[in-house]
């Protein structure tokens, strides 16, 4: 049989292709093996399990350098850096990931989320804000909005906080209406400080509409009405509030008393305060009653009540050091020349008892806060003084 040289023309390219395929297969197999079981990776894992984080990081860095395509390792490394407080390195890892063109959409979102966490933990709020905004429309959207809301509330950027809370209210199952009302009240407070009273009134009306049961919008509205010399309107606002939020009365008893005096409706106010005091005695309601010339309970006919009667009646119900001190302030004693010194000591002792205390973190302050400066919680202060808790 003669050798046909035309076979050479066919077999040579075939052999070449087969050889090339075989070599490709070997390299890919090798790569796959390397990828599946890089020694440095397992070494790192082992260190991590033994809580030897420094050694784990060195091993992971080695693994990432050997095979820069492994995004899982990048994520693990980034998270490790963040957990150790090495935010700059965590940011670098996640930014490197985001810079890659071959990243899947899901991994890109994950890296963006991780980067936002790095900035948040590092306290770089401006950069965290920008990173979180990029998570809009991703599966991290809700979480990102909650973080953004916390940032805006902490930095008192109320308009932005209101916008984010509105989005959350529209998308989430939880209701944010009370919180949104707080944001409107905060904006109204800023308007009042800037002298824009009509703008403030509009914001407060929106807040009342959003959260009709919440005490703050009504209290702030009444305070603005008092400021605008609309005492009768303020009185009506607070009387209505006493029906929906009677437990918050200690917070607005003084305003109610002022409005009643200005609107010449002391009798109505006295009856209301006495009724509420019987249900739930408190020093603030007592003070408002005394300021109106009344006592916690009805006194005998033909006998004008004195502040002393009020404090004594309160002390009969509650062993209040504050009430005792205020009663003593109005009394005359055998050694009256020493009264001021004794009174000063008593006032100092009772001052901490007149504070409000956050139920979430224990932060105490003389001022009542709707938004705790300690733990950033809303409505975490009971409306009663420390002594009455
Ligand atoms: Zn707190």
């Amino acid at each position: 049989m003669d050798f046909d040289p035309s076979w050479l023309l066919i077999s040579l390219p075939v052999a070449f292709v087969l050889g090339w395929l075989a070599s490709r297969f070997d390299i890919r197999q090798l790569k796959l093996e390397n990828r599946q079981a890089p020694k440095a990776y397992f070494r790192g894992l082992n260190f991590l399990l033994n809580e030897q984080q420094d050694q784990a990081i060195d091993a992971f860095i080695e693994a990432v350098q050997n095979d820069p395509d492994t995004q899982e390792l990048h994520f693990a490394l980034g998270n490790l850096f963040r957990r150790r407080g090495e935010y700059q390195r965590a940011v670098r890892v996640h930014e490197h990931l985001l810079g890659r063109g071959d990243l899947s959409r899901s991994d890109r979102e994950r890296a963006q989320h991780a980067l936002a966490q790095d900035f948040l933990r590092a306290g770089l709020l401006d950069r965290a804000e920008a990173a979180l905004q990029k998570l809009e429309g991703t599966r991290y959207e809700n979480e990102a909005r909650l973080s953004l809301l916390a940032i805006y509330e902490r930095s008192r950027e109320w308009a932005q906080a209101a916008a984010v809370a509105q989005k959350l209210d529209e998308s989430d199952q939880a209701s944010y209406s009370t919180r949104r009302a707080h944001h409107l009240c905060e904006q109204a407070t800023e308007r009042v400080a800037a002298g824009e009273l009509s703008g403030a009134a509009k914001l407060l009306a929106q807040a009342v509409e959003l959260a009709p049961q919440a005490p703050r919008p009504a209290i702030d509205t009444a305070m603005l009405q008092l400021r605008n010399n609309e005492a009768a309107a303020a009185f009506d606002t607070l009387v209505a509030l006493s029906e929906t939020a009677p437990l918050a009365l200690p917070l607005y008893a003084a305003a109610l008393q002022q409005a009643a005096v200005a609107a010449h409706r002391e009798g109505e106010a006295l009856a209301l305060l006495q009724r509420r005091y019987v249900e739930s005695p408190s020093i603030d309601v007592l003070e408002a009653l005394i300021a109106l010339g009344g006592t916690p309970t009805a006194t005998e006919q033909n006998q004008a009540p004195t502040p002393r009667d009020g404090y004594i009646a309160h002390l009969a119900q509650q062993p209040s050091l504050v009430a005792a001190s205020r009663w003593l302030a109005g009394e005359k004693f055998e050694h009256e020349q020493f009264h001021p010194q004794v009174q000063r000591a008593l006032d100092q002792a009772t001052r901490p008892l007149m504070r409000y205390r956050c139920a979430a973190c224990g932060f105490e302050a003389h001022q009542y806060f709707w938004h705790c400066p300690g733990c950033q919680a809303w409505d975490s202060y009971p409306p009663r003084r420390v002594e009455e808790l």
Side-chain angles (χ1 to χ4, degrees):
M1 191 177 162
D2 290 337
F3 176 72
D4 185 355
S6 64
W7 275 104
L8 262 180
L9 285 175
I10 299 168
S11 58
L12 266 176
V14 168
F16 180 77
V17 167
L18 281 174
W20 181 77
L21 277 175
S23 71
R24 284 293 300 163
F25 177 76
D26 278 345
I27 289 169
R28 283 174 64 187
Q29 187 68 23
L30 198 69
K31 253 194 164 177
L32 200 66
E33 278 171 6
N34 269 342
R35 204 177 277 188
Q36 280 172 347
K39 276 185 198 154
Y41 173 76
F42 283 119
R43 216 168 54 242
L45 202 60
N46 204 23
F47 283 131
L48 204 58
L49 290 172
N50 289 324
E51 301 207 341
Q52 293 170 280
Q53 295 192 352
D54 283 320
Q55 290 92 329
I57 282 173
D58 290 340
F60 281 142
I61 288 173
E62 193 188 323
V64 168
Q65 277 168 351
N66 287 343
D67 190 354
D69 289 341
T70 43
Q71 48 263 49
E72 280 307 322
L73 265 183
H74 276 79
F75 280 121
L77 203 56
N79 289 344
L80 209 63
F81 283 142
R82 190 197 309 133
R83 272 177 51 191
R84 287 165 53 88
E86 295 180 45
Y87 302 119
Q88 221 172 353
R89 297 174 88 180
V91 164
R92 229 172 32 233
V93 169
H94 293 130
E95 276 180 341
H96 171 73
L97 266 174
L98 280 170
R100 279 171 43 174
D102 60 336
L103 215 59
S104 70
R105 191 179 158 187
S106 162
D107 277 343
R108 182 167 299 280
E109 290 172 0
R110 192 174 157 200
Q112 186 64 48
H113 175 250
L115 187 65
Q117 298 300 312
D118 299 338
F119 290 138
L120 272 178
R121 294 283 184 83
L124 300 169
L125 297 187
D126 283 353
R127 297 184 75 182
E129 181 187 343
L132 288 164
Q133 280 166 345
K134 287 181 185 158
L135 289 168
E136 195 71 13
T138 70
R139 64 186 191 278
Y140 301 102
E141 183 179 75
N142 213 51
E143 197 190 321
R145 283 174 178 173
L146 284 170
S147 298
L148 276 173
L149 184 58
I151 290 177
Y152 293 141
E153 287 181 349
R154 192 174 279 271
S155 51
R156 305 181 64 80
E157 293 172 71
W158 300 116
Q160 277 108 316
V164 176
Q166 188 175 353
K167 282 185 193 168
L168 280 164
D169 213 6
E170 285 161 2
S171 67
D172 208 34
Q173 287 118 351
S175 168
Y176 284 81
S177 52
T178 309
R179 201 143 156 189
R180 289 173 62 196
H182 275 304
H183 298 153
L184 288 165
C185 290
E186 293 288 352
Q187 292 178 77
T189 306
E190 288 176 351
R191 295 279 175 95
V192 170
E196 300 166 29
L197 300 189
S198 62
K202 274 183 202 150
L203 288 166
L204 289 174
Q206 286 174 38
V208 170
E209 202 176 320
L210 255 178
Q213 305 294 320
R216 187 188 185 179
I219 293 175
D220 286 6
T221 301
M223 298 311 282
L224 187 60
Q225 286 165 332
L226 270 174
R227 199 187 158 114
N228 285 335
N229 296 321
E230 300 163 9
F235 186 73
D236 289 339
T237 304
L238 294 175
V239 169
L241 182 63
S242 73
E243 295 298 321
T244 54
L247 293 178
L249 179 60
L251 297 180
Y252 56 86
L256 184 84
Q257 174 257 323
Q258 275 177 41
V261 171
H264 308 294
R265 289 164 75 175
E266 290 94 335
E268 274 175 76
L270 260 178
L272 187 153
L273 290 169
Q274 275 174 340
R275 198 171 69 246
R276 295 294 178 202
Y277 180 89
V278 171
E279 289 165 12
S280 173
S282 95
I283 191 82
D284 288 293
V285 179
L286 174 72
E287 294 284 12
L289 273 168
I290 289 171
L292 284 169
T295 55
T297 47
T299 47
E300 284 174 32
Q301 294 291 320
N302 310 325
Q303 196 184 348
T306 62
R308 173 204 281 170
D309 298 326
Y311 291 123
I312 291 297
H314 188 73
L315 284 167
Q317 296 196 42
Q318 295 198 341
S320 162
L321 190 59
V322 173
S325 168
R326 290 190 183 169
W327 169 72
L328 278 167
E331 292 298 304
K332 289 268 181 270
F333 296 100
E334 195 182 336
H335 302 290
E336 186 56 28
Q337 70 270 31
F338 304 121
H339 195 169
Q341 294 91 310
V342 175
Q343 194 60 50
R344 202 165 61 236
L346 276 169
D347 288 346
Q348 202 165 330
T350 53
R351 203 169 294 136
L353 301 176
M354 287 297 281
R355 290 181 189 150
Y356 296 100
R357 182 191 294 149
C358 172
C361 74
F363 188 93
E364 287 185 9
H366 278 285
Q367 185 191 340
Y368 183 85
F369 285 107
W370 298 101
H371 186 217
C372 178
C375 68
Q376 308 291 310
W378 289 100
D379 294 312
S380 58
Y381 284 77
R384 302 175 76 85
R385 311 281 181 169
V386 166
E387 190 184 48
E388 299 172 330
L389 293 176

